[in-house]
Structures are given as C-alpha cells and as structure tokens.
Amino acid sequence: PIAGSMVLAAVLLKLGGYGIIRMAPTNISTILIYPMIAMATWGIIMTGLTCLRKTDLKALIAYSSVGHMGLVASATLIQTPWSTSGAVILMIAHGLTSSMLFCLANMLYERTNTRMLIAMRGMHKAMPLMTSYWLIASLTNLALPPTINLIGEIQIMTTLFNWSPLTIMMTATGAAVTAVYTLQMFMTTQQGHMTKDSKETYPAQTRELLTMILHALPILLLTLNLELIY
C-alpha cells in the first residue's frame, strides 16, 4: 500500500539511520568500517544503475531511496560532527522528498491502473498543476541548488573525501546517475502523447493538492532556514 511506502521512506528508514548514529561508535570496530563504507558507496552506484532500467515507477522510487540511504549509512559510520550533521539533514530532506514521490506515483496509479512508466506519459496535459509538484519533487530528489538535499549531500561528500579521496569517484558518479534517472522519470511521466487508456484522466482533487502542499512547504521552509532542524 502507498501509505506503507510513505511511512517506510519517511519514518522507518530514518529510525534505522538514527540507530546507526547511536550504535556505531561502540558496536562497530574500526576494521569493519572500511568494507561497510565501501559497500554503502558502491550501493549508491548500483541502485542508480538499477533505476535507469526500471519500468515500474514505484520500484524506481524505492530503489532511489536505497541509494540515498547509502550516503547516510556511510556518513554515520565515520562519526564526525560534520558527517553526522549531513546525515541528519539528508535523512529529513529525503523523508519529505521520497514520501512526496510515492504519493505522486500513487496518484498516477489511481488514474491509469498501472505502474508502468510508458503508460503514464503525457500527464502534463491532464494534470498540469500536478506537474509543478512533480518538478519540485524531482529537482529536490536530484539535489538541485539550493535545496536542503544538496546541503546534506555536499556535507556527506566532503566528509567522505576528507576520510578517503577515493570515495569521491563513487559519490560523484552516484550523484550524476541520480540526476539522469530522476530527469528521465519526470520527462517520461509528464511529456509525450497520452495513451488511449489515460485520456479520461480526471484532474487533481483538493485532498491530493493539500497532501502535496504539506510535503512541499516543509522542504521550502527548511531550504530557506536550515536552522529549523536544530
């Protein structure tokens, strides 16, 4: 269910990150940190490449969450003030963005009865207002400046680079792949000609617009004033 996916992305993944922050200093030895960070950073690239070939919209968003949490996991294992701060910022930003994307995907599913990307094309013509929220969610997901997502990712990438310069290859590649599949998702769902089955699509309802506002407004407020987190 879409509600379960939203709770999983917005709350449960963040509980896991909080658990790593609390337990990593005492329960993980220094020797184990190296392979765990290597797997976490490599997972960013692998999940990104998986998203590039996904045709299921909901699965694409879910794999995107895994890639972002790989950054969080690698940052929390280093256990420096800068990395922990970046991990907290990215967790909050990703919780809002991923939940918003899941909700948008469910709105398209309710109208098309499919989760295939190719069957959802041309939704800009039927739901022009929702395209704005798709654009906000997509741009924050790929960490467009000056969104809060970028601040968290820059802090994590800087910390990882100071810890080991080799990590910049994986984190930078992961960021580039994230931008590619996010823009591909946006263009596929919003542009092009509508299918015959989706021409009877009804516009966005008030409850759906309210849900989008409740996601977009915190993202905007945190972007304008990051001190609200602390």
CSV table of all heavy atoms in Angstrom, one decimal, residues 107-108 111-112 119-132 134 189-205 208-209:
chain,number,residue,atom,x,y,z
A,107,MET,N,-1.0,8.7,-7.2
A,107,MET,CA,-2.0,9.5,-7.9
A,107,MET,C,-2.1,9.1,-9.3
A,107,MET,O,-3.2,8.9,-9.9
A,107,MET,CB,-1.7,11.0,-7.8
A,107,MET,CG,-1.8,11.5,-6.4
A,107,MET,SD,-1.4,13.3,-6.3
A,107,MET,CE,-1.4,13.6,-4.6
A,108,LEU,N,-0.9,8.8,-10.0
A,108,LEU,CA,-1.0,8.3,-11.4
A,108,LEU,C,-1.5,6.9,-11.4
A,108,LEU,O,-2.2,6.6,-12.4
A,108,LEU,CB,0.4,8.4,-11.9
A,108,LEU,CG,1.0,9.8,-12.1
A,108,LEU,CD1,2.4,9.7,-12.8
A,108,LEU,CD2,0.1,10.8,-12.8
A,111,ARG,N,-5.2,6.7,-11.5
A,111,ARG,CA,-5.9,7.1,-12.7
A,111,ARG,C,-5.6,6.2,-13.9
A,111,ARG,O,-6.4,6.2,-14.9
A,111,ARG,CB,-5.4,8.5,-13.1
A,111,ARG,CG,-5.9,9.6,-12.1
A,111,ARG,CD,-5.2,10.9,-12.1
A,111,ARG,NE,-5.8,11.9,-11.4
A,111,ARG,CZ,-5.8,12.0,-10.0
A,111,ARG,NH1,-5.1,11.2,-9.3
A,111,ARG,NH2,-6.4,13.0,-9.4
A,112,THR,N,-4.5,5.5,-13.9
A,112,THR,CA,-4.1,4.7,-15.1
A,112,THR,C,-4.2,3.2,-14.8
A,112,THR,O,-4.1,2.4,-15.7
A,112,THR,CB,-2.7,5.0,-15.5
A,112,THR,OG1,-1.7,4.8,-14.4
A,112,THR,CG2,-2.5,6.5,-15.9
A,119,ALA,N,3.1,3.8,-19.7
A,119,ALA,CA,1.7,4.0,-19.8
A,119,ALA,C,1.2,5.3,-19.1
A,119,ALA,O,0.0,5.6,-19.1
A,119,ALA,CB,1.0,2.8,-19.1
A,120,MET,N,2.2,6.0,-18.4
A,120,MET,CA,1.8,7.2,-17.7
A,120,MET,C,2.2,8.5,-18.4
A,120,MET,O,2.2,9.6,-17.9
A,120,MET,CB,2.5,7.2,-16.3
A,120,MET,CG,2.0,6.1,-15.4
A,120,MET,SD,2.8,6.1,-13.8
A,120,MET,CE,2.0,4.8,-13.0
A,121,ARG,N,2.7,8.4,-19.6
A,121,ARG,CA,3.3,9.5,-20.3
A,121,ARG,C,2.2,10.5,-20.7
A,121,ARG,O,1.0,10.2,-20.8
A,121,ARG,CB,4.0,9.1,-21.6
A,121,ARG,CG,3.1,8.5,-22.6
A,121,ARG,CD,3.9,8.0,-23.8
A,121,ARG,NE,3.1,7.5,-24.9
A,121,ARG,CZ,2.7,6.2,-25.0
A,121,ARG,NH1,3.1,5.4,-24.1
A,121,ARG,NH2,2.0,5.8,-26.0
A,122,GLY,N,2.6,11.8,-20.8
A,122,GLY,CA,1.7,12.9,-21.2
A,122,GLY,C,0.8,13.4,-20.1
A,122,GLY,O,-0.3,14.0,-20.4
A,123,MET,N,1.1,13.1,-18.8
A,123,MET,CA,0.2,13.5,-17.7
A,123,MET,C,0.1,15.0,-17.6
A,123,MET,O,-0.7,15.5,-16.9
A,123,MET,CB,0.6,12.9,-16.4
A,123,MET,CG,0.2,11.4,-16.4
A,123,MET,SD,-1.6,11.2,-16.4
A,123,MET,CE,-1.7,9.5,-17.0
A,124,HIS,N,1.1,15.8,-18.2
A,124,HIS,CA,1.0,17.2,-18.1
A,124,HIS,C,-0.2,17.8,-18.7
A,124,HIS,O,-0.8,18.8,-18.2
A,124,HIS,CB,2.3,17.8,-18.8
A,124,HIS,CG,2.2,19.3,-18.9
A,124,HIS,ND1,2.2,20.2,-17.8
A,124,HIS,CD2,2.1,20.1,-20.0
A,124,HIS,CE1,2.1,21.4,-18.3
A,124,HIS,NE2,2.0,21.4,-19.6
A,125,LYS,N,-0.8,17.1,-19.7
A,125,LYS,CA,-2.0,17.6,-20.4
A,125,LYS,C,-3.2,17.4,-19.6
A,125,LYS,O,-4.1,18.2,-19.6
A,125,LYS,CB,-2.1,16.9,-21.7
A,125,LYS,CG,-0.9,17.1,-22.7
A,125,LYS,CD,-1.1,16.3,-24.0
A,125,LYS,CE,0.1,16.6,-24.9
A,125,LYS,NZ,0.0,15.8,-26.1
A,126,ALA,N,-3.2,16.3,-18.8
A,126,ALA,CA,-4.4,16.0,-18.0
A,126,ALA,C,-4.3,16.6,-16.6
A,126,ALA,O,-5.4,17.0,-16.0
A,126,ALA,CB,-4.6,14.5,-17.8
A,127,MET,N,-3.1,16.8,-16.0
A,127,MET,CA,-2.9,17.3,-14.7
A,127,MET,C,-1.8,18.3,-14.7
A,127,MET,O,-0.7,18.1,-14.2
A,127,MET,CB,-2.6,16.1,-13.7
A,127,MET,CG,-3.6,15.0,-13.8
A,127,MET,SD,-3.0,13.6,-12.9
A,127,MET,CE,-3.0,14.2,-11.2
A,128,PRO,N,-2.1,19.5,-15.3
A,128,PRO,CA,-1.0,20.5,-15.4
A,128,PRO,C,-0.5,21.0,-14.0
A,128,PRO,O,0.7,21.3,-13.9
A,128,PRO,CB,-1.6,21.6,-16.2
A,128,PRO,CG,-3.1,21.4,-16.0
A,128,PRO,CD,-3.3,20.0,-15.9
A,129,LEU,N,-1.4,21.1,-13.0
A,129,LEU,CA,-0.9,21.6,-11.7
A,129,LEU,C,0.0,20.6,-11.0
A,129,LEU,O,0.9,21.0,-10.4
A,129,LEU,CB,-2.2,21.9,-10.9
A,129,LEU,CG,-1.9,22.5,-9.5
A,129,LEU,CD1,-1.1,23.8,-9.6
A,129,LEU,CD2,-3.2,22.8,-8.7
A,130,MET,N,-0.3,19.3,-11.2
A,130,MET,CA,0.5,18.3,-10.5
A,130,MET,C,1.9,18.2,-11.1
A,130,MET,O,2.8,17.8,-10.5
A,130,MET,CB,-0.2,17.0,-10.6
A,130,MET,CG,-1.5,16.9,-9.9
A,130,MET,SD,-1.4,17.5,-8.2
A,130,MET,CE,-0.3,16.3,-7.4
A,131,THR,N,2.0,18.7,-12.4
A,131,THR,CA,3.3,18.7,-13.0
A,131,THR,C,4.3,19.6,-12.2
A,131,THR,O,5.5,19.4,-12.1
A,131,THR,CB,3.3,19.2,-14.4
A,131,THR,OG1,2.4,18.4,-15.2
A,131,THR,CG2,4.6,19.2,-15.1
A,132,SER,N,3.8,20.7,-11.6
A,132,SER,CA,4.6,21.6,-10.8
A,132,SER,C,5.1,20.8,-9.6
A,132,SER,O,6.3,21.0,-9.2
A,132,SER,CB,3.8,22.8,-10.3
A,132,SER,OG,3.3,23.5,-11.4
A,134,TRP,N,5.5,17.5,-9.4
A,134,TRP,CA,6.4,16.6,-9.9
A,134,TRP,C,7.8,17.2,-10.1
A,134,TRP,O,8.8,16.6,-9.8
A,134,TRP,CB,5.9,16.0,-11.2
A,134,TRP,CG,5.1,14.7,-11.1
A,134,TRP,CD1,3.8,14.6,-11.2
A,134,TRP,CD2,5.6,13.4,-10.9
A,134,TRP,NE1,3.4,13.3,-11.0
A,134,TRP,CE2,4.5,12.5,-10.8
A,134,TRP,CE3,6.9,12.9,-10.7
A,134,TRP,CZ2,4.7,11.2,-10.6
A,134,TRP,CZ3,7.1,11.5,-10.4
A,134,TRP,CH2,6.0,10.7,-10.4
A,189,THR,N,6.9,10.6,-17.5
A,189,THR,CA,5.6,10.7,-16.9
A,189,THR,C,4.8,12.0,-17.4
A,189,THR,O,3.6,11.9,-17.5
A,189,THR,CB,5.6,10.7,-15.4
A,189,THR,OG1,6.4,11.7,-14.9
A,189,THR,CG2,6.1,9.3,-14.9
A,190,GLN,N,5.6,13.1,-17.6
A,190,GLN,CA,4.9,14.3,-17.9
A,190,GLN,C,4.8,14.7,-19.4
A,190,GLN,O,3.9,15.4,-19.8
A,190,GLN,CB,5.6,15.5,-17.1
A,190,GLN,CG,5.6,15.2,-15.6
A,190,GLN,CD,4.3,15.0,-15.0
A,190,GLN,OE1,3.3,15.7,-15.3
A,190,GLN,NE2,4.1,13.9,-14.2
A,191,GLN,N,5.8,14.3,-20.2
A,191,GLN,CA,5.9,14.7,-21.6
A,191,GLN,C,5.4,13.6,-22.5
A,191,GLN,O,5.1,12.5,-22.1
A,191,GLN,CB,7.3,15.1,-21.9
A,191,GLN,CG,7.9,16.2,-21.1
A,191,GLN,CD,7.2,17.5,-21.2
A,191,GLN,OE1,6.8,17.9,-22.3
A,191,GLN,NE2,7.0,18.2,-20.1
A,192,GLY,N,5.2,13.9,-23.7
A,192,GLY,CA,4.8,13.0,-24.7
A,192,GLY,C,3.3,13.0,-24.9
A,192,GLY,O,2.5,13.8,-24.4
A,193,HIS,N,2.8,12.0,-25.7
A,193,HIS,CA,1.4,11.9,-26.0
A,193,HIS,C,0.7,10.9,-25.0
A,193,HIS,O,1.3,9.9,-24.7
A,193,HIS,CB,1.2,11.4,-27.5
A,193,HIS,CG,1.7,12.3,-28.5
A,193,HIS,ND1,1.1,13.5,-28.8
A,193,HIS,CD2,2.9,12.3,-29.3
A,193,HIS,CE1,1.8,14.1,-29.8
A,193,HIS,NE2,2.9,13.4,-30.0
A,194,MET,N,-0.4,11.3,-24.6
A,194,MET,CA,-1.2,10.4,-23.7
A,194,MET,C,-1.7,9.2,-24.4
A,194,MET,O,-2.0,9.1,-25.6
A,194,MET,CB,-2.4,11.2,-23.1
A,194,MET,CG,-2.1,12.4,-22.3
A,194,MET,SD,-3.5,13.2,-21.7
A,194,MET,CE,-4.2,12.0,-20.6
A,195,THR,N,-1.7,8.1,-23.6
A,195,THR,CA,-2.2,6.8,-24.2
A,195,THR,C,-3.8,6.9,-24.2
A,195,THR,O,-4.4,7.7,-23.6
A,195,THR,CB,-1.8,5.6,-23.3
A,195,THR,OG1,-2.3,5.8,-21.9
A,195,THR,CG2,-0.3,5.6,-23.2
A,196,LYS,N,-4.3,5.9,-25.0
A,196,LYS,CA,-5.8,5.9,-25.1
A,196,LYS,C,-6.5,5.6,-23.8
A,196,LYS,O,-7.6,6.2,-23.5
A,196,LYS,CB,-6.2,4.8,-26.1
A,196,LYS,CG,-5.7,5.1,-27.5
A,196,LYS,CD,-6.1,4.0,-28.5
A,196,LYS,CE,-5.6,4.3,-29.9
A,196,LYS,NZ,-6.0,3.2,-30.8
A,197,ASP,N,-5.9,4.8,-22.9
A,197,ASP,CA,-6.5,4.5,-21.7
A,197,ASP,C,-6.5,5.6,-20.6
A,197,ASP,O,-7.2,5.6,-19.7
A,197,ASP,CB,-5.8,3.3,-21.1
A,197,ASP,CG,-6.0,2.0,-21.9
A,197,ASP,OD1,-7.0,2.0,-22.7
A,197,ASP,OD2,-5.1,1.2,-21.9
A,198,SER,N,-5.6,6.6,-20.8
A,198,SER,CA,-5.4,7.7,-19.8
A,198,SER,C,-6.0,9.0,-20.3
A,198,SER,O,-5.8,10.0,-19.6
A,198,SER,CB,-3.9,7.9,-19.5
A,198,SER,OG,-3.2,8.2,-20.7
A,199,LYS,N,-6.7,9.0,-21.4
A,199,LYS,CA,-7.3,10.3,-21.9
A,199,LYS,C,-8.5,10.7,-21.0
A,199,LYS,O,-8.9,11.9,-21.1
A,199,LYS,CB,-7.7,10.1,-23.4
A,199,LYS,CG,-6.5,10.1,-24.3
A,199,LYS,CD,-6.9,10.1,-25.7
A,199,LYS,CE,-5.7,10.1,-26.6
A,199,LYS,NZ,-6.0,10.1,-28.1
A,200,GLU,N,-9.1,9.8,-20.3
A,200,GLU,CA,-10.2,10.1,-19.4
A,200,GLU,C,-9.7,10.5,-18.0
A,200,GLU,O,-10.5,10.5,-17.1
A,200,GLU,CB,-11.2,9.0,-19.4
A,200,GLU,CG,-11.7,8.6,-20.7
A,200,GLU,CD,-12.5,9.7,-21.3
A,200,GLU,OE1,-13.2,10.5,-20.6
A,200,GLU,OE2,-12.5,9.8,-22.6
A,201,THR,N,-8.4,10.8,-17.8
A,201,THR,CA,-7.9,11.1,-16.5
A,201,THR,C,-8.5,12.4,-16.0
A,201,THR,O,-8.6,13.4,-16.6
A,201,THR,CB,-6.4,11.3,-16.6
A,201,THR,OG1,-5.8,10.1,-17.1
A,201,THR,CG2,-5.8,11.5,-15.3
A,202,TYR,N,-8.9,12.3,-14.7
A,202,TYR,CA,-9.5,13.4,-14.1
A,202,TYR,C,-8.5,14.3,-13.4
A,202,TYR,O,-7.4,13.7,-13.0
A,202,TYR,CB,-10.6,13.0,-13.1
A,202,TYR,CG,-10.1,12.0,-12.0
A,202,TYR,CD1,-9.6,12.4,-10.8
A,202,TYR,CD2,-10.2,10.6,-12.3
A,202,TYR,CE1,-9.2,11.5,-9.8
A,202,TYR,CE2,-9.8,9.7,-11.3
A,202,TYR,CZ,-9.3,10.2,-10.1
A,202,TYR,OH,-8.9,9.3,-9.2
A,203,PRO,N,-8.7,15.6,-13.2
A,203,PRO,CA,-7.7,16.4,-12.6
A,203,PRO,C,-7.5,16.2,-11.1
A,203,PRO,O,-8.2,15.4,-10.5
A,203,PRO,CB,-8.2,17.8,-12.9
A,203,PRO,CG,-9.7,17.6,-13.0
A,203,PRO,CD,-9.9,16.3,-13.6
A,204,ALA,N,-6.5,16.9,-10.6
A,204,ALA,CA,-6.2,16.6,-9.2
A,204,ALA,C,-7.3,17.1,-8.3
A,204,ALA,O,-7.9,18.1,-8.5
A,204,ALA,CB,-4.9,17.4,-8.8
A,205,GLN,N,-7.5,16.4,-7.2
A,205,GLN,CA,-8.5,16.7,-6.2
A,205,GLN,C,-7.9,17.6,-5.1
A,205,GLN,O,-6.7,17.7,-4.9
A,205,GLN,CB,-9.2,15.5,-5.7
A,205,GLN,CG,-9.9,14.6,-6.7
A,205,GLN,CD,-10.4,13.4,-6.2
A,205,GLN,OE1,-10.3,13.1,-5.0
A,205,GLN,NE2,-11.1,12.6,-7.0
A,208,GLU,N,-5.6,15.8,-2.6
A,208,GLU,CA,-4.3,15.5,-3.2
A,208,GLU,C,-3.4,16.7,-3.2
A,208,GLU,O,-2.2,16.7,-3.0
A,208,GLU,CB,-4.5,14.9,-4.6
A,208,GLU,CG,-5.2,13.6,-4.6
A,208,GLU,CD,-5.6,13.1,-6.0
A,208,GLU,OE1,-5.7,14.0,-6.9
A,208,GLU,OE2,-5.7,11.9,-6.2
A,209,LEU,N,-4.0,17.9,-3.6
A,209,LEU,CA,-3.2,19.1,-3.6
A,209,LEU,C,-2.8,19.5,-2.2
A,209,LEU,O,-1.7,20.0,-2.0
A,209,LEU,CB,-4.1,20.2,-4.2
A,209,LEU,CG,-4.4,20.1,-5.7
A,209,LEU,CD1,-5.4,21.2,-6.1
A,209,LEU,CD2,-3.2,20.1,-6.5
